[in-house]
Amino acid sequence: MLTLDKVYHAAYVLKNVIRTTDLIRAPKINREAEVYLKTENLQNTGSFKLRGAYYKISQLSEEEKAKGVIACSAGNHAQGVALAAQHSGIPAIICIPDGAPISKVENTKSYGARVELVKGVYDDAYRHACELQQETGCTFIHPFDDPDVIAGQGTIGLELLDQLPDLDAVIVPVGGGGLIAGVAFAVKSLNPKCKVYGVQAAGAPGMVHAIAEGKPDALERVSTFADGIAVKCPGTLTYDLTSKYVDDVVTVTDDEIATAVLTLIEEQKLIAEGAGAVSVAAAMFNKVDIKGKKAVCLISGGNIDVTILSRVITRGLVKAGRVADMTIELADKPGQLREIAAIIADHGGNVIHVRHDHGGLDTDIVGCFLSIQMETRNHQHVKEIRDAISAAGYKIIHSTKVM
């Protein structure tokens, strides 16, 4: 059973293991609200997951510890379990989806755990872990649907109320639901007036679906770069707690998540993985009502693979209107590129890539296509440049969508 006493006990057990992560004011996230960031991306192992994993393992009997532990994870729970097992001097087997970021896989191995890569997503790794648990007799450390794990995550709620006693709302990433279940239980138990909102990736809306259907049920598929919350089905316990204590669960698109990642880098000098940035995306794009309120965005993790980060930044730039593409149909004659470039430069744009292609069967024999990528300030700036090129008599056949 999950109780407030258990959450407080978890805080006591964890006090010499975890960091009490900072709460940072972030005025540019949403100018109509007083927004703060709870920086669990700066937690030991780079994620909140250490809290629940360590507390769960601390509560095992000596007999259970002797048999070792097994877990499944998209990467962050894996690192939490591996480090907690290492501290306890017990063996750990971790099943991770084969598409998880390499950094998460290698970090898990660095803590001494045996890693099993499983084809598919989290739910496939879960099934394989259950099979191995039956074969080995290890204790299974569930990533979210366990009262001890949820209590460990709930310690974040206690910290938030200590750091900002008069907060009005907390925005929390949701995958399987362990984080929001723990945070919502702790916050609502001590401050029932505080709103708690959950956020999922639009391509992995398992909790949203469960609430709509009145029960947790597996989605057929999930698709999002936010691998830490790419879960087909929330837990039974986490669903019950979310239904009882959470005010609403919303979704954000991958483009909105990418914009949030970029904003955190530029404005706050913080690195967040996709799953960790969904709370910020919800605040930025007004997916929840925080106008005039003190609201905390929980950044749940910062373990993003650097090979993905560059693509995420590019998507974020496009979403924000900072990079724009345009294809123009021209007559294939000297001086055309110079004239187009001059228009862009006169309006403050910066050309960063140009491609010239001869026309096809559906164009004039002497026609060509000029594809341009440019740096711009925002969507209004893109529109100004596009209008200026059209006004000069050029035919734009494709342009980045202006929001």
Side-chain angles (χ1 to χ4, degrees), residues 110 159 219 240 265 354 376 384:
S110 74
E159 288 181 17
L219 301 171
D240 290 341
I265 293 172
V354 175
T376 47
E384 290 173 6

Side-chain angles (χ1 to χ4, degrees), residues 177-188:
L179 177 59
I180 196 166
V183 171
F185 176 79
V187 169
K188 289 287 192 178

Side-chain angles (χ1 to χ4, degrees), residues 279-294:
S279 56
V280 176
M284 288 179 63
F285 293 98
N286 296 304
K287 298 301 179 80
V288 294
D289 180 18
I290 57 172
K291 185 177 181 179
K293 299 176 181 178
K294 288 185 178 181

Side-chain angles (χ1 to χ4, degrees), residues 38 40 48 156 170-181 183 196-201 207 226 228-229 242 249-250 252 273-282 296-301:
K38 178 62 171 168
E40 282 295 294
F48 75 96
I156 297 173
V170 184
I171 309 172
V172 186
V174 181
L179 177 59
I180 196 166
V183 171
V196 180
Y197 300 111
V199 190
Q200 296 201 285
M207 188 66 80
I229 53 174
T242 299
V249 183
V250 300
V252 289
E273 60 190 277
V278 294
S279 56
V280 176
V296 173
C297 297
L298 204 167
I299 305 177
S300 58

Side-chain angles (χ1 to χ4, degrees), residues 5 58 70 86 122 167 176 185-186 200 229 237 255 261 265 267-268 291 303 329 332 354 371 379 397:
D5 284 344
S58 75
I70 189 167
Q86 185 183 66
Y122 161 78
L167 81 169
F185 176 79
Q200 296 201 285
I229 53 174
L237 178 57
D255 282 345
V261 171
I265 293 172
E267 302 295 344
Q268 302 299 145
K291 185 177 181 179
N303 295 316
E329 186 176 345
D332 192 5
V354 175
S371 298
H379 289 291
I397 61 173

Side-chain angles (χ1 to χ4, degrees), residues 14 17 45 48-60 69 71 76-85 88 141-143 146 148-153:
L14 293 171
V17 177
T45 73
F48 75 96
K49 287 286 192 175
L50 177 61
R51 296 173 182 263
Y54 194 98
Y55 183 61
K56 173 63 179 179
I57 289 176
S58 75
Q59 300 306 293
L60 298 180
V69 296
N76 286 336
H77 180 62
Q79 294 175 73
V81 171
L83 180 57
S88 299
I141 309 298
H142 201 285
D146 180 284
D148 288 336
V149 171
I150 294 171
Q153 324 305 25

